Amino acid sequence: HSYFFYEGALFTLVASHLLGIPRGVSCYADHTLSDYDMKVVSLHLRHSRLIVATSKRIKRELLEIAPTVPPERIVVKPNAINAEHFLSVRRAEPGVGEPYRLVCVSRMDPKKGLVFLVRALRLLRDRHCNVELHLLGSVDLDQQGSRDYARELEAEIEALQVGRWVHREGRRSEAEVNLFFGRSHLFVAPFVEMPTGDKDGIPTTLLEAMATALPVVATDAGSITEVIEHGRDGVIVPQRVKAWARRSETQ
């Protein structure tokens, strides 16, 4: 069994053929990238006995890539969490003069949409909304794109002059993330779909926040709408900035 369609998947494809044993593959996001032809995704799918898709959307995308694959061979198994580690919390509204605390848990990556979130925060501050943002997550030092995006985010924070309200908390342990969830009033998931096709599936941090009964505002990117029904489980907004500020201001 292999995960995604990078070089490891190619090794398992060859090994299963040489050894005459069945194989499976789990699919999350990289089949949507513009280089999927070079990864021979269709070949992998046709020669896999079991294909695990982490959302219904991903199953649909895989069947579009390899329409001859029997649909029953693709099993949808969404991401999940251990809810015993993220217990429901009753939160008080901010006191007089206290800020409304937003929290986002995300690594530094363009598809996370953090630049748009910072721009929305600026709009809210301009409209005299007393809000602050806590960003939990770190730079992936092995990825040039992550390093570049971190610099872009810092430049945006400085240009918008919101540094006093954007708290970069860095990488945190599960226990520390739980503490931030308990102290916050809203979880924000500003994720976006990239022109390359890159996008999130069902983010585990979103599930963790929801398990603690933290209200959620998220975009319609990736497979998020399979988790959140707008108006019932949270608020869904279009991707990118202006709708964020409007929704956050009226909730």
Side-chain angles (χ1 to χ4, degrees), residues 215-219 228-237 247 251:
V216 171
V217 172
T219 67
I228 299 176
E229 180 181 330
H230 175 67
R232 189 188 75 172
D233 309 299
V235 173
I236 293 290
V237 298
R247 283 291 187 180
Q251 294 307 307

Side-chain angles (χ1 to χ4, degrees), residues 114-206:
L114 301 178
V115 166
F116 301 109
L117 177 56
V118 168
R119 292 174 186 170
L121 178 71
R122 176 72 267 176
L123 290 176
L124 290 171
R125 296 298 313 187
D126 289 345
R127 295 169 186 175
H128 309 292
C129 298
N130 188 10
V131 294
E132 66 179 26
L133 172 64
H134 295 265
L135 288 177
L136 281 66
S138 61
V139 179
D140 187 343
L141 297 177
D142 294 329
Q143 297 292 329
Q144 182 65 46
S146 180
R147 298 196 300 270
D148 292 344
Y149 193 68
R151 286 192 289 269
E152 180 183 349
L153 179 63
E154 288 300 322
E156 193 73 9
I157 291 172
E158 182 177 354
L160 295 174
Q161 299 181 337
V162 293
R164 74 183 81 173
W165 303 297
V166 179
H167 305 279
R168 282 81 90 197
E169 307 290 355
R171 186 179 180 88
R172 296 296 182 125
S173 67
E174 182 181 282
E176 290 171 321
V177 170
N178 251 321
L179 288 176
F180 275 97
F181 285 164
R183 296 168 183 165
S184 299
H185 303 100
L186 183 71
F187 182 88
V188 285
F191 308 147
V192 297
E193 299 181 4
M194 303 300 294
T196 60
D198 197 12
K199 53 193 168 187
D200 264 297
I202 299 176
T204 54
T205 56
L206 174 65

Side-chain angles (χ1 to χ4, degrees), residues 6 11 18 21-23 46 60 69 78 81 123 129 195 205 228:
Y6 299 111
F11 299 155
L18 293 176
I21 58 176
R23 70 178 292 251
R46 293 197 306 271
R60 291 195 299 270
V69 172
I81 63 167
L123 290 176
C129 298
T205 56
I228 299 176

Side-chain angles (χ1 to χ4, degrees), residues 7-60:
E7 63 273 14
L10 185 60
F11 299 155
T12 58
L13 175 66
V14 175
S16 68
H17 177 72
L18 293 176
L19 299 174
I21 58 176
R23 70 178 292 251
V25 60
S26 291
C27 309
Y28 187 77
D30 73 301
H31 64 280
T32 63
L33 300 182
S34 54
D35 64 351
Y36 78 90
D37 278 333
M38 297 180 64
K39 296 173 181 173
V40 294
V41 172
S42 179
L43 183 67
H44 283 291
L45 297 175
R46 293 197 306 271
H47 289 272
S48 292
R49 187 77 60 85
L50 174 67
I51 303 157
V52 179
T54 56
S55 72
K56 296 175 183 176
R57 172 189 62 80
I58 291 174
K59 179 173 182 175
R60 291 195 299 270

